[in-house]
């Protein structure tokens, strides 16, 4: 499995998820994420980022006959949701932070990116945090195991 594929396919899933179609999805491996978040929130009052928050080695996953050079890991996939509620909530139909987080959890849980042998599993939605300029955020956290 290529970890970039995990990010890309998760982002594509979210771009086509009902209720998230008008929210920009930013892949964290594509460059200046902070600037992209700032620009997107200024434009639409919300956005989503998809990235990894590290991998843990899982030595016990190696089976007889597996590639001896493969490294077995548990990848921590994090989808961050950002909203500027003072602007976003003026639009009655706009998706709100926790509603977006719930849609993300449902859309991604159980999916399996190309080349993966185990599905992605939902772990938690983190508490809401307030950032600069009235922007709030939370993370939707997932885990999956595979070899890299």
């Amino acid at each position: 499995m290529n970890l970039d594929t995990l990010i890309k396919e998760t982002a594509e899933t979210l771009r086509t998820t009902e209720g998230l179609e008008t929210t920009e999805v930013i892949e964290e491996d594509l460059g200046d994420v902070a600037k992209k978040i700032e620009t997107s929130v200024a434009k639409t009052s919300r956005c989503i980022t998809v990235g990894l928050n590290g991998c843990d080695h899982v030595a016990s996953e190696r089976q007889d006959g597996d590639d001896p050079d493969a490294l077995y890991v548990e990848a921590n996939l994090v989808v961050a949701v950002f909203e500027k509620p003072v602007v976003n909530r003026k639009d009655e139909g706009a998706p709100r932070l926790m509603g977006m987080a719930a849609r993300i959890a449902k859309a991604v849980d159980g999916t399996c990116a190309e080349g993966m042998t185990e599905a992605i599993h939902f772990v938690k939605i983190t508490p809401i945090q307030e950032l600069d300029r009235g922007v709030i955020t939370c993370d939707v956290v997932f885990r999956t195991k595979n070899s890299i």
Side-chain angles (χ1 to χ4, degrees):
M1 168 190 72
N2 179 324
L3 296 176
D4 294 334
T5 300
L6 177 60
I7 293 170
K8 180 176 278 315
E9 289 191 17
T10 301
E12 287 304 316
T13 295
L14 297 176
R15 288 182 182 113
T16 59
T17 297
E18 185 178 342
L20 301 177
E21 306 94 332
T22 60
T23 303
E24 183 176 7
V25 179
I26 301 165
E27 298 169 38
E28 287 191 358
D29 61 336
L30 297 180
D32 189 357
V33 176
K35 182 66 175 170
K36 289 178 182 177
I37 293 168
E38 184 180 322
T39 301
S40 184
V41 169
K43 188 169 113 178
T44 66
S45 69
R46 63 188 179 275
C47 74
I48 297 167
T49 63
V50 180
L52 292 173
N53 187 13
C55 296
D56 298 312
H57 185 232
V58 186
S60 63
E61 296 298 314
R62 187 176 301 280
Q63 304 290 322
D64 290 337
D66 284 347
D67 179 352
D69 296 326
L71 184 61
Y72 292 85
V73 298
E74 184 174 63
N76 302 304
L77 178 69
V78 177
V79 179
V81 187
F82 299 86
E83 179 194 14
K84 189 166 191 173
V86 71
V87 177
N88 191 51
R89 296 181 185 186
K90 288 180 182 177
D91 177 359
E92 292 284 324
R96 296 180 178 196
L97 186 81
M98 291 310 288
M100 288 187 285
R103 285 185 180 104
I104 291 164
K106 290 177 187 176
V108 177
D109 185 53
T111 62
C112 194
E114 182 179 334
M116 293 178 60
T117 56
E118 187 174 308
I120 299 167
H121 300 287
F122 170 70
V123 175
K124 67 180 175 180
I125 297 174
T126 63
I128 297 172
Q129 297 179 359
E130 187 170 355
L131 305 177
D132 292 342
R133 301 183 188 126
V135 175
I136 58 174
T137 186
C138 71
D139 293 337
V140 186
V141 181
F142 302 89
R143 288 200 187 108
T144 187
K145 291 181 187 174
N146 215 320
S147 63
I148 56 172

